[in-house]
């Protein structure tokens, strides 16, 4: 494939109107695409549309130094995009428990990001956990992560419409953020279930979200002891969850987490009506559990977006500039420091340090504001 064609497809993919990209695909590679589709086993009428969607995502995030390889290996890459789109369609119709063998490419997607996670600088509770994993353990965690993605994203009509694949290390793979959203929980849970019953730190962040959620609900009911009661609810949820894990088999029928752990634990709060149980003796009259309002978890996400935008405005001009350069661009992944340095006429090391300091400052501002508003915030 001529690299000039790749350049034009990238430009079209980055335009806000998706139709323009579809027209370019038909113009430049329509015949090639259709020929490849006839050889693919899936006959879903959605396949061509999903392929174009995912191809647009891959091209939109393509870095300048990847284009030459992409052009050279275009036929192979296109087949991989078709397989990825076919997998996405296939998974929509299958229950995770019915999947006997996970696609090897998708398993390796998760392993690739797991390896990158292990190499990231800085300390976290995950580093010692990752060091405990064999390659077989990694593959099992990959399958559990895929289960959660299939259940929570691919089979969700609203979320599945978003592209899920990128081009990374000369291969088409699941997008990093999508994998990371579920991978952290799966690593912690797997190590606790199968390798080390003392490694319970993976519960700290999800339990904090439970506490903040319960506190916000209690404060909405004007309960004076909201802080203490929310701690009690958090402790109860943690204890109940660990009891569930400790009494569940560790073989093929072991516990599978098919969602975010925080979402699962918040289900303990709502299904168990724990807020009602915590305050029922303080309520005037005979109030049933159904009369206690349940907060919508997703409302918190919209408020977090507002907090993030507001806190960014508090940064110094150089921080706002570098953060805007890194994230407010046509890429769906952060722009490399080397490109930002060239645009800002600064050294790469200077820009890397600036990004690190500015993000840390922004994270502090957001965390403080979330505490003030009693929002559920993950510093991850």
């Amino acid at each position: 494939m001529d690299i000039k064609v790749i350049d034009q497809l990238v430009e079209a993919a980055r335009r806000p109107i998706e139709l323009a990209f579809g027209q370019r695909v038909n113009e430049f590679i329509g015949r090639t695409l259709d020929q490849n589709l006839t050889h693919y086993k899936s006959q879903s009428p959605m396949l061509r549309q999903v392929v174009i969607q995912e191809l647009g995502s891959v091209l939109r995030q393509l870095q300048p130094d990847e284009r030459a390889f992409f052009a050279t290996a275009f036929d192979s890459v296109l087949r991989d995009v078709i397989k990825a789109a076919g997998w996405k369609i296939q998974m929509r119709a299958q229950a995770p428990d019915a999947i006997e063998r996970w696609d090897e490419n998708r398993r390796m997607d998760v392993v690739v990001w797991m390896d990158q996670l292990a190499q990231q600088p800085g300390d976290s509770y995950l580093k010692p956990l990752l060091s405990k994993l064999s390659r077989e353990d990694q593959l099992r965690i990959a399958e559990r992560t895929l289960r959660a993605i299939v259940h929570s994203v691919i089979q969700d009509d609203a979320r599945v419409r978003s592209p899920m694949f990128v081009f990374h290390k000369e291969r088409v793979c699941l997008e990093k953020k999508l994998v990371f959203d579920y991978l952290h929980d799966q690593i912690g849970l797997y190590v606790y279930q199968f390798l080390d019953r003392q490694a319970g730190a993976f519960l700290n962040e999800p339990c904090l979200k439970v506490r903040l959620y319960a506190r916000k609900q209690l404060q909405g009911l004007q309960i004076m002891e909201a802080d203490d009661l929310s701690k009690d609810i958090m402790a109860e949820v943690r204890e109940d969850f660990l009891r569930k894990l400790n009494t569940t088999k560790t073989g093929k029928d072991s516990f599978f987490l098919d969602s975010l752990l925080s979402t699962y634990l918040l289900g303990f709060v709502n299904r168990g009506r724990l807020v009602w149980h915590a305050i029922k003796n303080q309520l005037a009259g005979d109030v049933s559990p159904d009369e206690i309002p349940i907060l919508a978890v997703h409302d918190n996400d919209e408020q977090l977006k507002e907090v993030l935008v507001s806190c960014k405005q508090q940064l110094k001009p150089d921080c706002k500039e570098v953060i805007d350069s890194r994230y407010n661009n046509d890429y769906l992944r952060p722009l490399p420091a080397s490109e930002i340095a060239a645009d800002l006429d600064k050294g790469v090391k200077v820009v890397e340090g600036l990004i690190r300091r500015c993000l840390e400052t922004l994270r502090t501002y957001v965390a403080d504001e979330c505490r003030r508003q009693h929002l559920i915030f993950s510093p991850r």
Side-chain angles (χ1 to χ4, degrees):
M1 175 68 67
D2 190 330
I3 195 168
K4 293 181 180 179
V5 173
I6 299 299
D7 290 340
Q8 291 185 62
L9 287 173
V10 169
E11 181 184 350
R14 290 176 178 170
R15 291 175 186 165
I17 302 175
E18 189 173 321
L19 178 61
F21 177 69
Q23 291 172 340
R24 283 296 195 182
V25 167
N26 289 330
E27 178 183 348
F28 290 126
I29 62 167
R31 182 176 298 178
T32 301
L33 173 58
D34 290 335
Q35 287 174 346
N36 277 275
L37 289 174
T38 59
H39 299 304
Y40 191 71
K41 58 185 177 181
S42 172
Q43 297 301 315
S44 169
M46 293 176 56
L47 182 58
R48 195 178 197 276
Q49 177 185 348
V50 176
V51 168
I52 291 176
Q53 178 195 54
E54 294 296 345
L55 180 61
S57 172
V58 167
L59 287 166
R60 187 160 50 247
Q61 301 168 70
L62 201 64
Q63 300 298 313
D65 58 356
E66 296 173 325
R67 294 188 188 186
F69 174 85
F70 197 94
T72 303
F74 181 78
D75 289 341
S76 174
V77 172
L78 180 60
R79 287 193 293 271
D80 287 345
V81 172
I82 293 173
K83 291 176 183 177
W87 178 81
K88 183 176 175 180
I89 292 171
Q90 181 187 4
M91 290 300 100
R92 291 212 65 194
Q94 283 194 270
D97 285 330
I99 300 171
E100 295 184 1
R101 184 175 179 81
W102 289 92
D103 183 276
E104 186 62 27
N105 288 319
R106 304 292 73 86
R107 287 207 305 172
M108 290 311 300
D109 293 349
V110 181
V111 171
V112 164
W113 294 124
M114 205 181 312
D115 288 342
Q116 186 184 97
L117 185 61
Q119 296 165 12
Q120 284 184 346
D123 296 323
S124 75
Y125 76 91
L126 285 172
K127 285 294 179 71
L129 303 189
L130 288 164
S131 67
K132 297 176 184 288
L133 302 177
S134 66
R135 181 57 77 175
E136 184 178 356
D137 291 327
Q138 288 184 326
L139 291 172
R140 288 176 177 171
I141 290 172
E143 291 179 355
R144 288 166 172 260
T145 303
L146 290 171
R147 276 182 62 111
I149 291 172
V150 167
H151 182 270
S152 300
V153 181
I154 293 181
Q155 295 181 355
D156 183 317
D157 287 338
R159 300 182 69 187
V160 75
R161 294 188 180 95
S162 299
M164 296 181 179
F165 291 89
V166 295
F167 193 67
H168 178 67
K169 291 190 174 180
E170 301 184 352
R171 63 190 300 273
V172 174
C173 69
L174 285 165
E175 196 264 331
K176 176 181 176 180
K177 183 181 183 304
L178 172 65
V179 173
F180 272 23
D181 281 347
Y182 296 89
L183 179 59
H184 292 76
D185 292 339
Q186 298 295 338
I187 292 170
L189 181 61
Y190 182 90
V191 171
Y192 183 86
Q193 279 187 281
F194 300 103
L195 302 177
D196 184 0
R197 285 297 168 113
Q198 301 303 312
F202 74 100
L203 274 170
N204 292 347
E205 185 180 308
C207 282
L208 175 61
K209 292 184 178 182
V210 167
R211 177 187 166 192
L212 294 174
Y213 176 83
R215 186 172 67 182
K216 185 174 182 181
Q217 199 169 4
L218 289 162
Q219 288 174 333
L221 296 168
Q222 299 183 332
I223 302 298
M224 297 296 294
E225 303 88 355
D227 198 51
D228 290 337
L229 289 174
S230 64
K231 290 179 183 178
D232 293 341
I233 290 173
M234 177 185 71
E236 182 178 350
V237 167
R238 184 185 183 102
E239 183 179 342
D240 284 350
F241 182 66
L242 289 176
R243 186 184 303 115
K244 179 180 180 66
L245 291 184
N246 293 334
T247 56
T248 302
K249 297 178 181 178
T250 57
K252 185 177 179 181
D253 298 324
S254 64
F255 171 75
F256 287 96
L257 177 67
D258 289 341
S259 66
L260 296 175
L261 183 52
S262 56
T263 302
Y264 185 83
L265 295 183
L266 288 172
F268 276 57
V269 178
N270 294 329
R271 287 192 303 272
R273 298 295 193 178
L274 299 188
V275 171
W276 177 81
H277 284 291
I279 63 173
K280 61 182 179 181
N281 294 330
Q282 302 180 39
L283 298 173
D286 188 16
V287 179
S288 74
D290 293 333
E291 294 179 69
I292 303 296
I294 294 177
L295 298 178
V297 178
H298 60 79
D299 287 348
N300 182 80
D301 295 336
E302 293 303 317
Q303 291 174 276
L304 280 177
K305 292 178 184 177
E306 295 177 6
V307 167
L308 181 61
V309 171
S310 173
C311 289
K312 196 182 77 169
Q313 298 308 314
Q314 301 175 36
L315 296 173
K316 294 180 180 179
D318 59 341
C319 277
K320 284 196 288 187
E321 182 180 33
V322 78
I323 288 177
D324 283 342
S325 297
R326 187 160 172 81
Y327 296 103
N328 291 359
N329 50 69
D330 291 330
Y331 299 102
L332 294 182
R333 59 183 175 184
L335 199 65
S338 57
E339 294 191 27
I340 299 173
D343 290 341
L344 301 181
D345 195 23
K346 298 178 183 290
V348 175
K349 293 296 183 183
V350 172
V351 170
E352 288 176 346
L354 188 59
I355 290 171
R356 186 168 54 252
R357 290 193 301 274
C358 293
L359 287 178
E360 187 59 39
T361 301
L362 179 61
R363 189 177 293 112
T364 300
Y365 287 171
V366 170
D368 289 344
E369 183 62 20
C370 285
R371 278 192 289 270
R372 190 183 71 79
Q373 296 189 30
H374 308 298
L375 295 175
I376 301 169
F377 168 65
S378 166
R380 182 187 298 166

